[in-house]
Amino acid sequence: MKKRETARTLDLSTEARIKQAARAVFYRKGFAATRTRDIAEEAGINLALLNYYFRSKGKLFEIIMLETLSDFLANIRGVINDESTSLECKIEQIAAGYIDLIRREPEIPFFLLSEIRSNAGVFFERIPIGKIVKSSVFIRQYREAAANGKIAEPNPLHFIMNFIGMILFPFIASPVLKEIGSLDAEAFDRLMEERKKRIPLWINSLMKPT
Amino acid sequence: MKKRETARTLDLSTEARIKQAARAVFYRKGFAATRTRDIAEEAGINLALLNYYFRSKGKLFEIIMLETLSDFLANIRGVINDESTSLECKIEQIAAGYIDLIRREPEIPFFLLSEIRSNAGVFFERIPIGKIVKSSVFIRQYREAAANGKIAEPNPLHFIMNFIGMILFPFIASPVLKEIGSLDAEAFDRLMEERKKRIPLWINSLMKPT
DNA sequence: GTCTATAACGTGATAGAC
DNA sequence: GTCTATCACGTTATAGAC
């Protein structure tokens, strides 16, 4: 059906190459700023093929967006509803899991936040992230720990802002941080690797009652 | 020179009204997604006047961007180079100063990061933010405190990521956080007000050697 | 200074040959 | 399935009347 004869580096079906290219360009520039011609060039294909395989720029974007969001949430859904692990364990798993995921695709956090921002209503209708988080085992465990005096901050939202912020913010602000720290891509990546282990420690000391 | 006869709410010169409208629209949608027609409509002026006062969309954007960045940095430059204040004091001042500033214009952090991202080279040429931070009294005090064993984390970059992330991340991710917490604008704003006092405390406990 | 009309251009999408 | 050529449209920017 699709050609798959050679063993070249980019030996993908045309459809897959377009999707891969679209993902890269959309991640980098966002929906509004990318032109279909950018995607075609990145994919090394003819512009008309984009519309042949995916009806329109918007349809292609929607596919990329939903796949990305789905991957992003898949990473967390299992962890936060595991009855057999402690809060501390979940924190370690989430930090490590997300940092590993994002190190492979560092543009994802900014991309997702950017596009959710410009279309919030639509996304929260499709993906009820509020329900997912609020009804999670994680939040229940957090509230229990706070009620038992094991955690100082009773509001889980402050916790989420601090914890998820520690994970995502460096990637979101990476151009500025690289400039401030004179970091190349590898040095930045090493810092993120360090944070995998340190964020749980920081979070732990930050949550302790004084 | 400019008309200023009435006392209406929006009694500004045409030029000022365009700038004000442009700021609002650019903040909300970013450069690529805003159309000059959006700005004209928001300002309640004729489209042609935009080009009459500011040669082009790009020129207008550049003015807004530089003003915004300048305000944003002005807020910090004095504080971080004050020889007479302690590290702890600076942390309190920065947290309070930025949260107050951003509560008035909550879209600024995302706007700045978004546009810096798509044009990093140009901005860091004009505003040497790396030099400003690295040569600051703040960083010198931080290194001294770390050398004296008063702070556990020796790398100021980790500190900056955690501290600035705690301040900015909630605003950057506000649509998601509002959804998760079922917060309206006022409830969100109250949370940010709370963080003004709590972030310095959190940062303090997080930095302490164990 | 402000307006209307329109030029000049870029972009998304399609028709139709191969 | 893939290409070239082109349409249709929206957007930025300007010309020129008032």
Side-chain angles (χ1 to χ4, degrees):
Chain A
M1 189 197 285
K2 312 286 169 51
K3 69 173 175 183
R4 186 149 314 177
E5 65 287 355
T6 74
R8 281 186 56 241
T9 318
L10 285 183
D11 182 27
L12 295 168
S13 70
T14 301
E15 185 175 354
R17 286 173 65 185
I18 296 172
K19 248 173 79 171
Q20 180 177 297
R23 174 172 281 114
V25 180
F26 281 140
Y27 283 2
R28 195 164 58 242
K29 318 216 296 186
F31 179 78
T34 94
R35 298 166 304 153
T36 51
R37 284 165 173 82
D38 296 333
I39 297 173
E41 194 185 352
E42 174 96 9
I45 53 107
N46 187 283
L47 173 56
L49 289 178
L50 189 151
N51 293 295
Y52 174 75
Y53 282 103
F54 308 88
R55 228 172 88 74
S56 73
K57 177 189 176 186
K59 283 284 177 193
L60 176 53
F61 178 78
E62 198 167 308
I63 289 169
I64 301 296
M65 178 51 132
L66 289 180
E67 281 188 11
T68 302
L69 198 54
S70 166
D71 287 359
F72 201 73
L73 292 178
N75 202 279
I76 202 181
R77 277 182 103 141
V79 174
I80 65 173
N81 285 312
D82 187 340
E83 292 277 3
S84 74
T85 58
S86 66
L87 198 60
E88 289 74 20
C89 177
K90 286 187 179 59
I91 288 169
E92 286 174 25
Q93 286 180 308
I94 292 169
Y98 269 125
I99 290 180
D100 279 340
L101 172 70
I102 300 168
R103 282 209 301 157
R104 287 193 295 272
E105 292 279 11
E107 319 253 31
I108 285 183
F110 193 88
F111 167 76
L112 282 178
L113 285 172
S114 177
E115 303 299 337
I116 286 174
R117 176 167 289 256
S118 55
N119 233 326
V122 180
F123 282 100
F124 296 140
E125 261 173 45
R126 297 202 194 181
I127 290 104
I129 191 168
K131 304 267 181 191
I132 292 172
V133 172
K134 276 184 284 198
S135 65
S136 67
V137 173
F138 184 92
I139 291 293
R140 202 194 68 212
Q141 289 178 321
Y142 185 92
R143 291 193 191 282
E144 285 169 8
N148 295 339
K150 293 179 147 184
I151 287 175
E153 173 56 53
N155 188 341
L157 266 187
H158 278 310
F159 170 82
I160 288 173
M161 292 179 195
N162 295 337
F163 179 44
I164 305 297
M166 277 188 190
I167 296 173
L168 298 188
F169 180 74
F171 294 97
I172 292 167
S174 62
V176 179
L177 293 168
K178 284 175 180 167
E179 172 74 11
I180 288 178
S182 308
L183 307 172
D184 58 18
E186 296 115 68
F188 180 80
D189 194 58
R190 273 196 300 278
L191 270 192
M192 295 307 106
E193 177 65 24
E194 284 178 25
R195 292 177 73 80
K196 252 166 66 177
K197 304 150 213 157
R198 294 199 199 175
I199 287 174
L201 301 176
W202 288 326
I203 283 293
N204 193 45
S205 70
L206 177 153
M207 290 194 303
K208 272 198 196 120
T210 45
Chain B
M1 189 193 288
K2 310 284 168 55
K3 68 173 175 182
R4 184 150 317 178
E5 65 285 357
T6 75
R8 282 187 54 240
T9 318
L10 285 182
D11 182 29
L12 295 168
S13 69
T14 301
E15 184 174 354
R17 286 174 64 188
I18 295 173
K19 246 173 79 170
Q20 180 176 295
R23 175 172 280 114
V25 181
F26 281 140
Y27 283 2
R28 196 164 59 242
K29 317 216 297 185
F31 179 78
T34 94
R35 299 168 304 153
T36 52
R37 281 166 172 82
D38 297 333
I39 297 172
E41 193 185 352
E42 174 95 10
I45 53 107
N46 186 282
L47 174 56
L49 289 177
L50 189 151
N51 294 294
Y52 174 76
Y53 282 104
F54 308 88
R55 226 172 91 72
S56 72
K57 177 189 176 186
K59 285 282 180 197
L60 177 53
F61 178 79
E62 198 166 310
I63 290 168
I64 301 296
M65 178 50 135
L66 288 179
E67 281 188 12
T68 303
L69 199 54
S70 165
D71 286 358
F72 202 73
L73 292 178
N75 201 279
I76 202 181
R77 277 182 102 140
V79 174
I80 64 172
N81 285 311
D82 187 340
E83 293 276 3
S84 74
T85 58
S86 66
L87 197 61
E88 289 74 19
C89 177
K90 287 186 178 63
I91 288 170
E92 285 175 26
Q93 286 180 308
I94 292 169
Y98 269 123
I99 290 180
D100 279 341
L101 171 70
I102 300 169
R103 281 209 299 156
R104 288 193 294 274
E105 293 279 11
E107 319 252 31
I108 285 183
F110 193 88
F111 168 77
L112 283 179
L113 285 172
S114 176
E115 303 299 338
I116 286 173
R117 177 168 290 258
S118 56
N119 233 326
V122 179
F123 282 100
F124 296 139
E125 262 172 44
R126 297 203 194 179
I127 290 104
I129 191 170
K131 304 267 182 193
I132 293 172
V133 173
K134 276 184 284 197
S135 64
S136 67
V137 173
F138 184 92
I139 291 294
R140 201 194 67 213
Q141 289 178 320
Y142 185 91
R143 291 192 191 283
E144 285 170 7
N148 295 340
K150 293 180 149 186
I151 286 175
E153 174 55 56
N155 188 341
L157 267 187
H158 278 309
F159 170 81
I160 288 173
M161 293 179 195
N162 294 338
F163 179 43
I164 305 298
M166 276 187 191
I167 296 173
L168 299 187
F169 180 75
F171 294 98
I172 292 167
S174 63
V176 179
L177 293 168
K178 284 176 181 166
E179 172 73 10
I180 288 178
S182 308
L183 306 172
D184 58 17
E186 295 114 68
F188 180 80
D189 195 57
R190 273 197 301 278
L191 271 192
M192 295 307 106
E193 177 65 25
E194 284 178 25
R195 293 177 72 80
K196 253 167 65 177
K197 304 149 212 155
R198 294 199 198 173
I199 286 174
L201 301 176
W202 288 326
I203 284 292
N204 193 45
S205 71
L206 175 152
M207 290 194 304
K208 268 192 199 130
T210 44

